[in-house]
Amino acid sequence: MTTTARTLVIIGAGFAGLCMAIKLKAAGIDDFVVLEAGAGVGGTWRDNTYPGCACDVPSHLYSFSFERRAAWSRKYSGQAEILEYLERCADKYRLRPHLRLNTRAEALRWDAAAGRWWVRTSEGVELSARIVVAGVGGLRVPEIPTIPGRERFSGATFHSARWDHGYALAGKRVAVIGTGASAIQFVPQIADKVAQLSLFQRTPPWILPKPDRAFTGVEKRIFAAAPGIERVYRASIYAQMEATALGFLRFPKILKAAEWLARRHIAAQIEDPALRAAVTPSFAIGCKRILISNDYYPALTRPNVEVVTDPVASIEEAAVVTRSGRRVAVDAIIYGTGFAVRDFLAPMTVVGRDGQELREAWRGGAEAFYGLAVAGFPNFFMIVGPNTGLGHNSMVVMIEAQVRYIRRCVQRILKEGLTALEVLPARQRAFNEGLRGRMRRTVWKSGCQSWYLDDQGENYTLWPGYTWEFVLRTRRPRAADFAAA
Ligand code: NAP
């Protein structure tokens, strides 16, 4: 096993890891590597290539504030365009020499005597670094439910985040399991190609119209020629999205207007009363992620598409069997069943001070300080860690705020020659008590089941506040929150 010493190791080359690398370089810190398990940069935008994959946050906001793009082709860009944007960032900011692709960080171990982290990678290399920043993303590990008989299925089967482009869906009988953000994007794209599509729906999502359109050439030229106008446009999207937080956080009744719109959307796009009833949710809007689409409901009205609400009970060699005993014969099963989100950094192991394992520290719930530092784990930072996800705005805003905070911590460690900078347990506890208190009033706790919540119904994924508030509160690390040695 070879060993290399670095000042800093970044894990992940998605929006978070790239942003960290860019900002470190801008601060004159160059001695770092970016470990990336995949074959390229882009993170979720490299992994998810399913037909119709796009972002449901407008691109002018779902992009770095310091790397504006006037040429976005449409309001809600597709996956390929977002990936190309991130590739270009990697080139422009000269990050390629720092990248170690196809290299998974498998285990991190804090060496208190040396004041360094040991990072074991899948390549059999042991790196040592003074500081580690994990930007591995929350929606990373595909979740395939353990349905009895699943392994007996002899047809094609894949998850939406690992789309099998080599499999020709044309003319096939296809089962899709799941009706979340991913499924509602790819179902309309494949519905007119397959012979029969059986969509197994456990819970219908709330869906609003998608105010999408291509930008005209004139608009793109204006954005390019007058960056001020693009900035105002970005700010207006931000303000609109941020305003919805009031409904999510404090006054779920405000969301009634959105529910009314969503019901109208169903009525306008679906004539059949039985199908209308089947796709109408019974939980409060906003409790699960609100989705946007103009082509999902029309796809469901096609004669070759059936929404199956009878729960999936088992899978056989060539069929999906429902609880009432119905056998739906299929050639392929596509899982649109989301991601394993609760084990934030898994399967990577992180062993901190006194041999403590992060997974153990989080047994009672994944608590951190602003989602980016954990007591007992010196010189270790996360981007998009616990309670920093959003239900209402652009994650890039949160990522930039966390990166700025971490960059300042890194600068302090280097400037003051610290061996260990660690958030104080009491500060972390107080922070989380405040967070839990606020969480109680949110719509996410209004009684639905979602990936936002753990088995105890506790929310360790979302930030229960406004993004401007997170940005302001993380402007500068406070010395009193940390123990420094
Ligand atoms: P998801 O929202 O978690 O949806 C998973 C779906 O699978 C749900 O409909 C769920 O039903 C269903 N399901 C899970 N296990 C099942 C089982 N055993 N039997 C039947 N159905 C089952 O996953 P996703 O669609 O991949 O999206 C995950 C997240 O990724 C989103 O919330 C969003 O944050 C992000 N995303 C974003 C975009 C975007 O436009 N920006 C696009 C795609 C994904 P239940 O609802 O009953 O649990």
Side-chain angles (χ1 to χ4, degrees):
M1 182 168 282
T2 47
T3 310
T4 330
R6 297 278 175 184
T7 300
L8 206 133
V9 167
I10 297 171
I11 305 170
F15 260 103
L18 293 179
C19 186
M20 191 73 240
I22 292 169
K23 292 298 177 186
L24 285 177
K25 274 187 94 113
I29 301 164
D30 236 357
D31 183 30
F32 65 86
V33 288
V34 183
L35 306 180
E36 168 52 57
V41 302
T44 196
W45 299 104
R46 182 207 55 228
D47 285 348
N48 286 272
T49 61
Y50 60 77
C53 181
C55 188
D56 57 10
V57 175
S59 297
H60 281 267
L61 183 62
Y62 194 79
S63 46
F64 294 128
S65 61
F66 54 85
E67 185 56 39
R68 302 298 175 81
R69 186 165 185 263
W72 289 112
S73 65
R74 51 191 314 115
K75 278 177 90 172
Y76 296 89
S77 300
Q79 169 265 340
E81 199 173 347
I82 301 170
L83 181 58
E84 187 196 317
Y85 168 82
L86 290 172
E87 294 272 5
R88 251 193 265 156
C89 286
D91 290 328
K92 178 175 170 183
Y93 293 93
R94 301 187 194 292
L95 303 182
R96 303 272 178 202
H98 297 269
L99 289 172
R100 302 287 175 273
L101 301 176
N102 300 308
T103 308
R104 182 180 297 280
E106 290 185 333
L108 311 183
R109 184 171 47 82
W110 173 246
D111 179 344
R116 299 187 77 85
W117 281 96
W118 290 97
V119 183
R120 202 187 68 227
T121 75
S122 52
E123 291 296 279
V125 177
E126 180 120 286
L127 292 157
S128 97
R130 285 176 72 180
I131 303 157
V132 172
V133 182
V136 297
L139 304 165
R140 179 173 39 91
V141 181
E143 175 94 62
I144 296 188
T146 46
I147 300 167
R150 201 186 73 204
E151 63 297 335
R152 279 193 287 147
F153 186 67
S154 62
T157 163
F158 52 90
H159 186 274
S160 58
R162 300 287 181 272
W163 196 269
D164 184 354
H165 292 277
Y167 181 74
L169 285 163
K172 300 287 188 348
R173 296 163 306 169
V174 176
V176 171
I177 301 182
T179 52
S182 303
I184 71 140
Q185 290 185 333
F186 70 73
V187 162
Q189 300 294 316
I190 64 170
D192 60 348
K193 298 182 181 64
V194 302
Q196 173 66 32
L197 195 157
S198 306
L199 178 59
F200 291 87
Q201 171 190 276
R202 189 164 67 180
T203 317
W206 283 110
I207 303 177
L208 291 171
K210 185 173 183 176
D212 191 21
R213 68 171 177 82
F215 286 115
T216 64
V218 173
E219 285 171 322
K220 286 187 260 185
R221 280 196 294 280
I222 291 175
F223 286 146
I229 291 182
E230 193 273 342
R231 220 163 269 145
V232 169
Y233 178 62
R234 179 183 168 107
S236 74
I237 301 168
Y238 175 77
Q240 272 175 45
M241 298 194 86
E242 197 65 350
T244 61
L246 205 60
F248 285 92
L249 302 173
R250 285 300 299 270
F251 308 109
K253 286 212 167 75
I254 294 180
L255 294 172
K256 280 282 166 204
E259 187 178 315
W260 179 79
L261 266 178
R263 285 183 191 278
R264 255 195 22 178
H265 196 39
I266 294 171
Q269 294 199 313
I270 297 176
E271 272 182 29
D272 173 18
L275 184 57
R276 276 186 189 175
V279 300
T280 304
S282 55
F283 58 88
I285 192 167
C287 188
K288 285 169 182 274
R289 193 177 172 88
I290 299 176
L291 309 182
I292 50 174
S293 173
N294 300 331
D295 54 8
Y296 176 66
Y297 291 139
L300 305 190
T301 67
R302 293 178 59 87
N304 67 330
V305 176
E306 183 194 6
V307 177
V308 183
T309 52
D310 194 9
V312 174
S314 63
I315 292 175
E316 294 180 347
E317 207 181 332
V320 176
V321 184
T322 68
R323 197 183 285 167
S324 66
R326 186 177 156 208
R327 238 168 217 86
V328 182
V330 291
D331 306 304
I333 301 176
I334 305 175
Y335 292 94
T337 42
F339 301 86
V341 283
R342 286 166 202 156
D343 232 346
F344 279 86
L345 301 165
M348 186 167 74
T349 56
V350 185
V351 179
R353 193 162 43 75
D354 307 325
Q356 190 187 21
E357 240 246 68
L358 187 54
R359 208 166 305 156
E360 276 303 310
W362 280 351
R363 193 167 278 278
E367 292 196 341
F369 189 63
Y370 291 106
L372 49 76
V374 190
F377 297 81
N379 294 11
F380 174 71
F381 301 96
M382 293 168 295
I383 309 167
V384 193
N387 289 114
T388 58
L390 295 178
H392 74 284
N393 210 326
S394 171
M395 275 311 292
V396 183
V397 173
M398 299 295 273
I399 287 172
E400 285 190 34
Q402 291 178 71
V403 163
R404 182 181 49 205
Y405 188 99
I406 296 168
R407 194 249 301 151
R408 291 201 155 125
C409 290
V410 170
Q411 283 175 307
R412 179 171 172 211
I413 291 169
L414 300 184
K415 197 165 147 230
E416 298 178 19
L418 302 176
T419 42
L421 185 69
E422 181 186 331
V423 67
L424 292 165
R427 297 300 169 122
Q428 180 175 310
R429 211 173 307 123
F431 171 78
N432 279 280
E433 274 163 16
L435 205 133
R436 301 285 142 238
R438 293 182 72 172
M439 197 63 89
R440 256 171 244 132
R441 294 190 295 249
T442 65
V443 68
W444 309 305
K445 295 270 234 171
S446 63
C448 71
Q449 274 287 330
S450 77
W451 64 259
Y452 296 157
L453 308 180
D454 71 2
D455 297 336
Q456 274 70 49
E458 198 48 74
N459 188 329
Y460 290 104
T461 53
L462 298 188
W463 168 245
Y466 302 91
T467 61
W468 57 261
E469 190 192 349
F470 187 89
V471 171
L472 281 183
R473 286 172 65 180
T474 54
R475 260 200 111 64
R476 247 164 237 293
R478 290 188 315 176
D481 291 332
F482 289 87

